[in-house]
Amino acid sequence: MNTTTRQRFSNPRIVVLLAASLAILALFVLRLWDLQIVRGADFRALADQNRFRLETVDAPRGIIYDRNGTPLVRNGPSFEIQIIPAYLPDDPTAEHAVFQYLSGMLNLPIESQPIQTSDVVPMDRGAVSLANTLRFMLDRLREKIEVRGCCIKDIVDEVRGPAPYSPVTIKSGVDRDVALRIAEQANDLPGVRVHVASVREYISGTVMSDIVGYMRRISAEDLATLPTDAYDPSSDRIGAVGVEGQFEDVLRGQKGKQYVEEDVVGRQVRIVGQADPIVSGQNIQLTIDFDLQQFAQQALQDEIDYLNTYAGHIVTQQGVVVAMNPKTGEILAMVSLPTYDNNIFSSSFISQTVLDQLQNDPYLPQLNHAIQSVYPPGSTFKIVPASAALQEGVLTPKTIIYDPGALVIPNQYFPDDPRQAQTFVCWLRSGHGEENIVQALAHSCDVFFYEVAGGYHVKGQTEFEGLNVDRLGKYAQLFGFGAPTGIDLIGETAGFVPDPIWKRRATGENWSLGDTYNFGIGQGYLTATPLQVLNSMAAIANDGILMKPQVVKEITADDGRPIKTFSPLPIRKIPVNFENIQIVQQGVEAVVNWPDGTAIKAQVPGVKIAGKTGTAEYCDDLAQKNGECYRGHVPAHAWFTAYAPADDPTIAIVVFIYNGGEGSSVAVPVAQKILKHWFEQHPPAGP
């Protein structure tokens, strides 16, 4: 060490400075050791938390197909604008600038403005004060409801505290061009991102809406029954009705989770890993033939349009067509009019005008009238007392009942006063004369079935012992009336089979012979869905075996691998001997194929058809509102149910037209067109 150096280190100031520098350096080294070695793992984890985010990824919803593989729905892209509150600018002015830009692009207000209501609580006395106070409270409540979620800042403020790093959707269903323009400005919009969500698109639209159903928002009541963590109530939707609702668990799949790397303004850089795999929803293949569904809907609509045009005013807007394979229970078509477009429920915004039109339509387009509405079945029901009477020995194929055109039943309390007597007429006022069971079915003879149902006991005339109400009710239930068929759709109605105990409790009146007479021809208190009417006829076609209707044929994985196949499921074998079923089959074949049968217009060249017409009188609330019910006039529904080929049925059908009038002239032509179309596409097998 030279003299100069020794002089420097002999200077106390330099020594102190050097020692201080070394101490500071040592502190830095110790601090770096603590940060990088001792606590390095913890800080790296914290850094990763700022850089990486665990994101939930929606599972693709399963696709619904018709029986031939035609897709009826698809999952389309829907653009959403989201904000991650933690990445918004700290400066209020800069944050407001972001909100202002989005407000202009999305046509959303930035912040809610209070509704102008009185700030002073009314303090007067009496009823006036109470009314004013209630009005004040309602105004304040309305203010809170209307401003909640209406505006960008309000939406962000709801999650800014509890979940600052969770994306919150500002607007869904954004136009693609608008979404792209916002994405282009990402560098100037910290915390804002464009998210591509999946939305249900219903390719089949109004043709299949009652069967497929639609998706709806999750309500508070739903959360109590939905699986934990399976849904996000703020953005997810669930199946509401139809197949979408019935098979929600099958279609929805399971969400996945992935780690996403983000930059300092919340933009996604890359996906770095997957925490939970995405499980796609399973696909569903229906039993429905989409071609037949389209044709049947148009045929029914054409007939309804013709009725309205011919009358010069709206006679009806409601009707049903259901077609099924009677041997398997597979539903081939199910049309309910009026209908609606289920795509309107996929939109992020539904016009109140559209909702009002749906909800205020007196013909109830959102109901599937095939399974959710009930009507008197009229003469289509006559196959039940016919089967029951043969089985119970009330009549034989050779039994003859004379139809004079009307039955006059004396009043039991005033038997000698003709003014007190009750008259039950046949639709053919001149009468059908002598009829056996096959003829009575072919001609739909009311008097014949009055006596079969309730008997005939009039002094001085030929007596006949009928079924009575108890046996008639028993067989009605065996044929499927009064209970849901069990079809795999939501909301099926049971219909109603009356009995004397019910009438006494409901009306305070005793059951009368007239009630049994009306019951025997499908009138009075008896009600049924069109599907129940069809299923009862299908049981005749299927030699007495009542099948469970079904609309789902198979469930498959997203790769097409079968997961579950639905097999035909008999409900019961109706306890009617095969020989007696054959007699009824002869009767319903005569309905279509005899020259004087009531459904001769249902004939299709090359195909033998069996069927039963019905004209059911009614007077419900809508009929009274429309002025259809008045003295001397009772409106009627038009019915026709059939199966074909008669000797080896592959299809059964029911046509119902609300307030359509005569089934033979209104419902029969619709069925004939549909059956003709079906057999052009599916020719019957040769001998």
Side-chain angles (χ1 to χ4, degrees):
M1 185 180 293
N2 57 33
T3 303
T4 304
T5 302
R6 281 199 295 268
Q7 289 176 348
R8 289 175 179 172
F9 278 96
S10 64
N11 188 334
R13 295 179 180 177
I14 294 177
V15 173
V16 171
L17 181 61
L18 182 60
S21 298
L22 291 173
I24 292 172
L25 180 61
L27 289 174
F28 274 116
V29 171
L30 289 173
R31 182 59 175 165
L32 288 173
W33 173 270
D34 179 61
L35 292 175
Q36 296 189 7
I37 306 300
V38 178
R39 301 169 61 188
D42 294 336
F43 283 113
R44 279 193 295 273
L46 290 173
D48 286 344
Q49 288 181 11
N50 289 333
R51 191 161 54 100
F52 300 114
R53 179 170 53 83
L54 185 60
E55 181 179 66
T56 299
V57 184
D58 293 336
R61 192 170 177 86
I63 304 301
I64 302 173
Y65 300 90
D66 86 333
R67 69 183 298 112
N68 301 312
T70 303
L72 305 174
V73 304
R74 64 184 170 212
N75 298 318
S78 175
F79 295 97
E80 297 179 346
I81 305 303
Q82 297 181 336
I83 289 179
I84 304 174
Y87 294 138
L88 286 168
D90 294 330
D91 179 36
T93 302
E95 179 185 272
H96 183 79
V98 172
F99 291 164
Q100 192 169 31
Y101 177 82
L102 293 178
S103 175
M105 294 297 293
L106 303 177
N107 193 28
L108 284 176
I110 297 175
E111 191 171 4
S112 59
Q113 298 297 321
I115 297 174
Q116 296 300 317
T117 58
S118 173
D119 293 327
V120 180
V121 179
M123 299 299 291
D124 297 333
R125 295 180 179 180
V128 174
S129 174
L130 178 60
N132 290 337
T133 302
L134 289 174
R135 187 176 300 110
F136 173 83
M137 295 172 65
L138 288 173
D139 285 343
R140 286 305 187 196
L141 178 61
R142 181 165 60 90
E143 176 181 340
K144 292 180 180 180
I145 292 174
E146 291 185 3
V147 303
R148 178 180 172 84
C150 78
C151 314
I152 299 173
K153 189 174 184 301
D154 295 320
I155 297 172
V156 172
D157 286 345
E158 286 187 0
V159 299
R160 195 192 298 267
Y165 288 95
S166 297
V168 58
T169 300
I170 301 302
K171 188 173 183 178
S172 303
V174 177
D175 182 79
R176 178 178 178 274
D177 292 338
V178 173
L180 291 178
R181 290 174 61 186
I182 293 175
E184 290 172 356
Q185 300 296 319
N187 290 331
D188 299 324
L189 300 172
V192 178
R193 72 172 191 169
V194 177
H195 176 67
V196 182
S198 178
V199 66
R200 209 65 160 163
E201 295 179 358
Y202 296 102
I203 307 170
S204 53
T206 59
V207 180
M208 292 287 295
S209 55
D210 289 297
I211 302 173
V212 172
Y214 57 86
M215 308 288 290
R216 64 168 173 80
R217 295 189 182 277
I218 296 174
S219 67
E221 292 77 13
D222 295 325
L223 296 178
T225 59
L226 293 176
T228 306
D229 299 330
Y231 296 89
D232 179 359
S234 65
S235 59
D236 289 345
R237 298 191 177 203
I238 59 173
V241 295
V243 174
E244 292 275 33
Q246 184 75 28
F247 293 88
E248 168 67 20
D249 293 344
V250 171
L251 291 165
R252 68 178 170 88
Q254 297 178 14
K255 295 183 178 183
K257 291 184 178 180
Q258 63 187 17
Y259 288 102
V260 177
E261 183 180 1
E262 296 179 333
D263 60 18
V264 294
V265 294
R267 293 189 299 261
Q268 179 175 311
V269 177
R270 63 191 176 102
I271 298 173
V272 296
Q274 192 174 58
D276 296 323
I278 301 170
V279 179
S280 298
Q282 297 167 358
N283 300 326
I284 290 180
Q285 184 178 31
L286 303 182
T287 61
I288 301 294
D289 185 298
F290 186 60
D291 173 73
L292 181 65
Q293 179 81 10
Q294 284 184 301
F295 187 90
Q297 185 182 78
Q298 190 59 56
L300 181 61
Q301 187 64 65
D302 288 346
E303 184 67 21
I304 289 175
D305 291 344
Y306 170 78
L307 289 174
N308 293 331
T309 301
Y310 182 80
H313 64 276
I314 298 299
V315 171
T316 183
Q317 296 284 9
Q318 191 179 110
V320 169
V321 171
V322 186
M324 71 184 294
N325 184 327
K327 297 179 180 178
T328 65
E330 294 175 277
I331 299 296
L332 304 173
M334 180 179 283
V335 175
S336 174
L337 294 179
T339 185
Y340 65 97
D341 187 352
N342 42 9
N343 283 295
I344 65 176
F345 295 99
S346 295
S347 172
S348 59
F349 174 77
I350 305 176
S351 166
Q352 188 62 44
T353 302
V354 173
L355 284 178
D356 289 343
Q357 288 175 347
L358 285 176
Q359 294 171 358
N360 297 331
D361 190 323
Y363 294 100
L364 306 174
Q366 283 189 269
L367 279 186
N368 184 346
H369 297 293
I371 64 171
Q372 293 180 305
S373 295
V374 294
Y375 315 92
S379 294
T380 61
F381 180 73
K382 289 175 180 174
I383 59 174
V384 174
S387 302
L390 289 167
Q391 184 64 26
E392 294 292 321
V394 170
L395 53 77
T396 71
K398 295 182 179 180
T399 301
I400 298 296
I401 295 177
Y402 179 73
D403 168 24
L407 286 185
V408 179
I409 308 300
N411 187 298
Q412 59 178 326
Y413 302 108
F414 305 96
D416 298 325
D417 185 354
R419 293 174 301 178
Q420 301 289 333
Q422 192 171 5
T423 302
F424 295 87
V425 300
C426 185
W427 68 267
L428 184 64
R429 298 304 170 87
S430 61
H432 291 95
E434 295 184 341
E435 298 265 79
N436 62 27
I437 182 62
V438 173
Q439 293 170 321
L441 285 169
H443 304 144
S444 197
C445 178
D446 291 332
V447 167
F448 187 98
F449 286 99
Y450 289 148
E451 295 196 21
V452 165
Y456 187 63
H457 305 279
V458 176
K459 185 178 179 180
Q461 299 195 33
T462 304
E463 292 203 1
F464 184 82
E465 191 66 40
L467 283 165
N468 72 48
V469 61
D470 293 332
R471 287 192 290 182
L472 183 56
K474 168 190 168 184
Y475 278 89
Q477 292 172 342
L478 288 171
F479 271 85
F481 292 91
T485 65
I487 190 172
D488 42 353
L489 289 173
I490 291 174
E492 184 184 12
T493 302
F496 183 68
V497 174
D499 61 67
I501 295 176
W502 165 82
K503 185 183 179 185
R504 185 64 184 173
R505 290 174 176 172
T507 68
E509 298 178 357
N510 292 325
W511 188 269
S512 68
L513 176 62
D515 292 327
T516 306
Y517 278 5
N518 286 327
F519 191 178
I521 64 168
Q523 293 279 179
Y525 302 112
L526 177 70
T527 61
T529 66
L531 181 60
Q532 288 173 324
V533 171
L534 172 62
N535 216 27
S536 66
M537 178 59 86
I540 296 296
N542 201 26
D543 298 334
I545 300 176
L546 188 71
M547 301 298 295
K548 178 181 178 180
Q550 59 185 38
V551 297
V552 173
K553 188 177 184 66
E554 189 174 53
I555 296 175
T556 63
D558 56 348
D559 59 0
R561 175 174 43 87
I563 294 176
K564 182 178 181 181
T565 300
F566 291 80
S567 302
L569 182 63
I571 297 175
R572 71 179 67 90
K573 170 67 175 72
I574 298 172
V576 177
N577 295 339
F578 178 62
E579 294 78 8
N580 292 327
I581 291 288
Q582 284 184 309
I583 298 301
V584 178
Q585 289 173 344
Q586 292 176 26
V588 293
E589 288 176 25
V591 169
V592 179
N593 297 286
W594 283 10
D596 56 352
T598 58
I600 189 172
K601 294 179 181 178
Q603 293 180 0
V604 173
V607 184
K608 190 174 185 180
I609 295 170
K612 185 69 193 78
T613 55
T615 303
E617 295 182 346
Y618 76 103
C619 187
D620 60 12
D621 292 342
L622 182 57
Q624 293 184 41
K625 181 180 177 181
N626 291 340
E628 296 281 357
C629 303
Y630 52 88
R631 186 176 180 84
H633 177 266
V634 180
H637 302 314
W639 287 95
F640 181 59
T641 181
Y643 61 85
D647 54 350
D648 186 19
T650 58
I651 186 172
I653 188 172
V654 65
V655 175
F656 166 80
I657 299 180
Y658 180 95
N659 196 31
E662 295 288 339
S664 57
S665 59
V666 176
V668 166
V670 177
Q672 193 273 345
K673 292 177 184 177
I674 296 169
L675 290 171
K676 183 174 183 291
H677 175 80
W678 174 258
F679 285 110
E680 286 174 351
Q681 309 298 319
H682 306 83

